[in-house]
Amino acid sequence: MATALDFAKVFIKKKLDTNPDTFDGNMKIQKLLVFANLISLAENGAPLFSDPIYAFTNGCVVEDVRLRYRNDYYGLKHESDLFEPKFTQEHNNVIDLTVRIFGDVPAKELSELNHSFEFWKRAWKRSGDITGFKNKERSLVSTDEMLAEIDRIKLVVETAKRNFLEENLIEKSHKEVINGITFYYSSDLEMTDDVLEYLEGFSKNADDSVYTMYMDDGNLVIY
């Protein structure tokens, strides 16, 4: 299973940590990881990674990634620039959705959005103790707690996917129909035998009748 650090490297490689090597840059990567994990739960019914997620002051964080970014930014940046992930189609779709929905949102706004979820509120509240310090282990956010609010993310994702589809359909000039499922794509996507074989398999379990698709860094992305 891919780790949270693997996905953080992708976000860093895509230059999504606005104001890099700063507190805000680190916070932006943390929130992208959290929302990517929520999108994975909404889309695939499973977490994107197994790394623990904790409730901190500015929202949820993956502690190992947060510390690596803070203590070794340039080493992490170098690794990220060279990183060539071998993710599954599901992983690539989650990354793409995360980037398109949240990629341009400032770190502070993502933090505030994270604060609106009950799973952060409950974990943050129970992490306090009588000394006034926070107990890290009690701040752990469980997958079940996130799943309890997954309908919020599902609504965001479904709305975004409809908007993306409408925008992309205007630009698409080609289509392929396989097993009654229509796939729209632009002329820069080559419809090879491998792509057709993949689409045939995809169509057999498709939930919708119309999809749009494109290539992103050599990976096929389907909506």
Side-chain angles (χ1 to χ4, degrees):
M1 187 177 189
T3 67
L5 185 62
D6 292 330
F7 296 105
K9 288 177 182 178
V10 172
F11 295 142
I12 293 170
K13 188 173 184 176
K14 291 179 178 291
K15 304 184 186 305
L16 296 177
D17 55 333
T18 313
N19 300 313
D21 196 22
T22 67
F23 181 90
D24 279 7
N26 199 349
M27 184 163 64
K28 177 69 175 288
I29 295 299
Q30 293 302 315
K31 299 305 162 283
L32 290 176
L33 288 174
V34 170
F35 284 109
N37 192 60
L38 288 170
I39 289 174
S40 181
L41 288 171
E43 289 285 278
N44 306 317
L48 189 63
F49 47 80
S50 61
D51 305 63
I53 295 175
Y54 298 99
F56 277 39
T57 305
N58 291 298
C60 296
V61 306
V62 180
E63 179 71 337
D64 289 346
V65 177
R66 184 185 75 87
L67 293 176
R68 177 73 194 282
Y69 188 103
R70 187 189 72 182
N71 298 329
D72 183 30
Y73 171 76
Y74 289 103
L76 178 57
K77 176 67 165 57
H78 179 69
E79 289 179 19
S80 300
D81 290 340
L82 299 177
F83 188 51
E84 296 294 339
K86 298 186 183 299
F87 292 146
T88 64
Q89 178 68 47
E90 288 78 11
H91 286 161
N92 290 325
N93 287 347
V94 167
I95 292 170
D96 190 73
L97 280 168
T98 304
V99 172
R100 297 184 73 174
I101 297 172
F102 299 110
D104 292 331
V105 182
K108 184 177 180 181
E109 289 184 28
L110 290 178
S111 175
E112 291 170 352
L113 178 58
N114 191 179
H115 284 166
S116 71
F117 283 85
E118 290 299 321
F119 61 74
W120 174 82
K121 295 177 183 178
R122 287 194 296 269
W124 177 248
K125 183 177 181 180
R126 68 172 175 258
S127 69
D129 60 33
I130 59 175
T131 67
F133 293 100
K134 295 295 178 180
N135 183 299
K136 177 181 173 182
E137 294 310 313
R138 290 205 296 266
S139 73
L140 182 67
V141 179
S142 71
T143 296
D144 286 343
E145 288 177 303
M146 288 184 278
L147 282 171
E149 296 181 81
I150 206 62
D151 284 347
R152 286 186 61 185
I153 291 296
K154 285 183 177 180
L155 179 60
V156 170
V157 170
E158 289 307 314
T159 300
K161 286 168 72 173
R162 284 196 298 271
N163 291 339
F164 298 154
L165 183 59
E166 290 173 1
E167 293 169 1
N168 287 332
L169 284 178
I170 295 173
E171 302 173 357
K172 304 305 176 187
S173 57
H174 301 277
K175 71 176 181 180
E176 186 72 44
V177 181
I178 302 177
N179 293 325
I181 307 300
T182 302
F183 298 91
Y184 287 93
Y185 62 99
S186 58
S187 57
D188 59 354
L189 191 159
E190 183 180 359
M191 191 56 61
T192 64
D193 289 340
D194 287 341
V195 172
L196 286 170
E197 183 179 352
Y198 181 84
L199 294 178
E200 183 179 6
F202 182 94
S203 68
K204 293 177 181 178
N205 298 300
D207 295 322
D208 298 314
S209 61
V210 178
Y211 291 88
T212 186
M213 58 187 183
Y214 63 93
M215 299 299 292
D216 180 32
D217 291 333
N219 300 305
L220 183 65
V221 177
I222 304 174
Y223 285 111

